[in-house]
Amino acid sequence: MKPPPFTYHSPSSVEETLDVLAETGTDGKVLAGGQSLIPLMNMRLAAPAHLIDINGAGGLDVLRTSDDGVRVGATVRQARVERDAEVFRVQPLLRWATGFVAHPVVRNRGTVVGSLAHADPAGELPAVLALLDGTIEVVSRGARRTVTGRDFFAGPLESSLEPDELAVSAFFPALPDRAGASFAEVARRHGDFAVCGAAGLVELDDDLRVAAARVAYVSVGPNPVVLDLTEACGHRSPGATDWTRAADAARGRLDPGADIHASAEYRRHLAGVLTARVLGEAGARAHGAAASGDGAHSGALR
Amino acid sequence: MSEDVYEIRLTVNGVPRSARAPARRLLSDFLRHDLGLTGTHVGCEHGVCGCCTVLLDGAPVRSCLMFAVSARAHEVTTVEGLGGPDGSLGPVQRAFQECHALQCGFCTPGFLVAVTALVRDARAAGRAGPTEEEVLEGISGNLCRCTGYQNIVKAVHRAADLMAEHGAEDGGEP
Ligand SMILES: Cc1cc2nc3c(=O)[nH]c(=O)nc-3n(C[C@@H](O)[C@H](O)[C@H](O)COP(=O)(O)OP(=O)(O)OC[C@H]3O[C@@H](n4cnc5c(N)ncnc54)[C@H](O)[C@@H]3O)c2cc1C
Ligand code: FES
Ligand code: FES
């Protein structure tokens, strides 16, 4: 179908964008990559009276990497983040997770920040932000705030952004030393939204025993769910850890919903399987990174 | 609601083009209806089928998930731009023909455009062509109801061969 009529704005700066957002209020929507918003408009599930296209706003197409982490500007495409070698070195989980977002052609246009702002519980990147305790930088006319992943996701397709606010960037902290990460999901076909997905992070102590193990889940609740499964891992070395105990703990603590794609019971089962899989892989990667004394480069060992 | 109409100027297949259209005109419809380039096909209009794939400044994108007004001043390549100026088939088109990689042909423009970028990128990275895994990933966003995909996969590899031959003939990159 065809999208309904709207008034198009193409501000040439962030300041101008904020002015338009303030004027249009609840009638306005930001247009970033359009890979979620335009399908909704084509299907007439969304009919914003004003579209504010930020692709020409300038200053938002910035991808900055430091040893602390990766800052992704609002118009940086998912494909760019996926391919960037520095991003992969600092936080490899971004490449692994982004590879599950739709298809390569869709990722050429879709943005990382748009994916977060869209707040789809089936989205991979919200789970990554939540797992890593990342933040989103939000501005409106005369104000600026930094929002944590935990506070940003307010429900299915609902972020805590106010109508006059623009998310200007997202920050994904670096992979710590002696740590490993992993992403896995089950979908009907590769590129489809996940029936269930999991992002795992394992950190080791000086004796190379599991010091922290966390998993963020995709498609198991209205928001990304993060579980701390450190206790269930038993503080052993990754090779000696029984990851199925962490999987059992996760199954007990998750409360997935049912929909046409899967029953709650099947989702809980998948969540357990994926928990063991991502923690096992993240643990092995953490061990490889620690053994080579080169935490930040663990991604290269995959 | 009376809609504003925009003068939309962009480059299509190397030629400056312009037409007037409202902001809600999808790039796919702009190409087909306003510019008369009906090679770009439209299947689902929500990003799933890949029929409408075009190159935007060289990168394959869904033309049904973009407004024409957002493409102002950009360069678009459609399936019509993949052949030679004399109407001869380009290497990817020839590979599809040789490998019987199409039946009804509805999906073909989208595949041709996506595959053109896929093979180009692998060659730009100094390789002979995309790996089998890259081919499967690269065409995963294009649906074909006829062929069963096997011959399309073969055609991608064949296209890489043809481009290598073509490149060798010209003594350089095409
Ligand atoms: C076939 C297909 C399959 C897909 N599969 C997946 C998948 O498996 N996993 C997945 O996570 N996604 C998937 N997607 C959606 C993904 O591709 C989108 O890119 C992403 O969800 C939204 O990013 P965008 O830049 O396209 O945002 P848009 O569509 O432009 O915007 C989405 C929403 O976020 C708001 N927004 C965007 N940027 C900002 C900003 N900077 N500040 C404030 N608000 C903003 C918009 O107003 C809108 O409400 C799929 C899409 C398609 C077409
Ligand atoms: S018509 Fe654009 S993806 Fe189907
Ligand atoms: S050849 Fe008929 S849909 Fe692909």
Side-chain angles (χ1 to χ4, degrees):
Chain A
M1 287 193 351
K2 309 300 174 193
F6 56 85
T7 303
Y8 179 75
H9 305 263
S10 49
S12 55
S13 69
V14 170
E15 290 67 39
E16 199 183 327
T17 306
L18 300 180
D19 288 343
V20 182
L21 282 172
E23 278 154 32
T24 55
T26 49
D27 290 337
K29 273 252 168 236
V30 169
L31 174 67
Q35 304 301 288
S36 291
L37 185 53
I38 300 180
L40 290 174
M41 291 176 69
N42 287 357
M43 293 186 275
R44 302 274 171 131
L45 297 171
H50 296 267
L51 270 196
I52 301 105
D53 185 343
I54 60 171
N55 290 284
L60 297 173
D61 195 22
V62 183
L63 180 60
R64 258 203 332 267
T65 313
S66 71
D67 287 344
D68 295 337
V70 180
R71 182 165 295 283
V72 188
T75 56
V76 173
R77 314 290 164 190
Q78 292 144 5
R80 179 167 163 207
V81 170
E82 182 187 6
R83 289 190 203 122
D84 192 280
E86 267 301 288
V87 169
F88 186 64
R89 184 182 72 79
V90 170
Q91 184 43 270
L93 189 54
L94 276 172
R95 179 181 292 178
W96 294 325
T98 305
F100 285 100
V101 177
H103 307 284
V105 172
V106 176
R107 296 198 290 272
N108 280 340
R109 199 82 200 135
T111 65
V112 168
V113 173
S115 219
L116 301 172
H118 193 54
D120 191 330
E124 288 79 6
L125 297 177
V128 170
L129 189 85
L131 178 78
L132 300 175
D133 271 330
T135 54
I136 297 175
E137 202 64 21
V138 175
V139 297
S140 56
R141 214 153 55 176
R144 171 177 287 269
R145 61 189 181 113
T146 303
V147 191
T148 63
R150 207 167 308 124
D151 295 333
F152 189 77
F153 303 109
L157 303 186
E158 209 186 317
S159 76
S160 66
L161 285 171
E162 297 295 331
D164 65 339
E165 286 184 320
L166 176 71
V168 283
S169 68
F171 181 73
F172 296 87
L175 191 68
D177 287 342
R178 293 190 305 273
S182 171
F183 194 96
E185 71 175 41
V186 173
R188 291 281 163 201
R189 288 161 304 201
H190 183 70
D192 281 13
F193 282 99
V195 176
C196 184
L201 183 69
V202 171
E203 293 178 58
L204 307 182
D205 62 18
D206 288 339
D207 301 322
L208 304 191
R209 287 178 309 210
V210 175
R214 290 192 298 155
V215 179
Y217 297 89
V218 176
S219 294
V220 297
N223 295 309
V225 183
V226 185
L227 294 184
D228 187 332
L229 298 167
T230 311
E231 285 314 309
C233 293
H235 301 284
R236 296 187 187 81
S237 76
T241 301
D242 180 4
W243 303 109
T244 62
R245 286 194 45 219
D248 290 341
R251 275 193 204 98
R253 285 163 64 186
L254 291 170
D255 186 21
D259 58 26
I260 62 163
H261 304 294
S263 64
E265 212 31 59
Y266 179 53
R267 275 217 170 80
R268 181 173 291 120
H269 166 76
L270 289 180
V273 171
L274 293 172
T275 299
R277 195 177 295 167
V278 294
L279 287 182
E281 189 167 44
R285 284 171 173 164
H287 194 266
S292 72
D294 192 10
H297 291 72
S298 63
L301 297 170
R302 92 183 164 118
Chain B
M1 178 171 175
S2 82
E3 289 185 79
D4 287 340
V5 174
Y6 292 79
E7 176 76 22
I8 297 170
R9 292 173 195 279
L10 69 180
T11 304
V12 182
N13 302 326
V15 180
R17 300 290 303 262
S18 74
R20 293 172 63 75
R24 64 169 163 149
R25 181 79 88 243
L26 298 171
L27 178 58
S28 45
D29 287 338
F30 183 77
L31 292 167
R32 291 176 55 83
H33 303 305
D34 298 296
L35 300 184
L37 294 168
T38 53
T40 299
H41 286 177
V42 171
C44 67
E45 281 183 342
H46 58 274
V48 172
C49 74
C51 289
C52 67
T53 306
V54 299
L55 301 182
L56 179 76
D57 301 325
V61 301
R62 303 284 199 240
S63 62
C64 74
L65 296 189
M66 185 164 177
F67 297 111
V69 68
S70 303
R72 282 179 300 179
H74 288 273
E75 281 189 29
V76 172
T77 305
T78 67
V79 67
E80 287 95 342
L82 300 185
D86 56 350
S88 61
L89 297 183
V92 180
Q93 291 168 314
R94 267 200 288 148
F96 269 62
Q97 188 188 45
E98 282 180 24
C99 298
H100 304 288
L102 60 149
Q103 289 179 30
C104 79
F106 192 82
C107 67
T108 310
F111 273 99
L112 291 172
V113 170
V115 168
T116 296
L118 183 65
V119 177
R120 178 203 63 199
D121 290 349
R123 288 174 52 72
R127 294 180 286 127
T131 61
E132 183 75 6
E133 197 186 331
E134 284 169 339
V135 173
L136 295 182
E137 163 89 355
I139 64 170
S140 65
N142 290 72
L143 299 182
C144 175
R145 306 316 308 267
C146 301
T147 64
Y149 301 101
Q150 301 303 318
N151 287 350
I152 295 178
V153 173
K154 281 183 202 147
V156 182
H157 293 301
R158 179 71 186 134
D161 292 345
L162 286 175
M163 280 194 201
E165 282 169 27
H166 188 265
E169 270 166 35
D170 291 356
E173 284 296 306

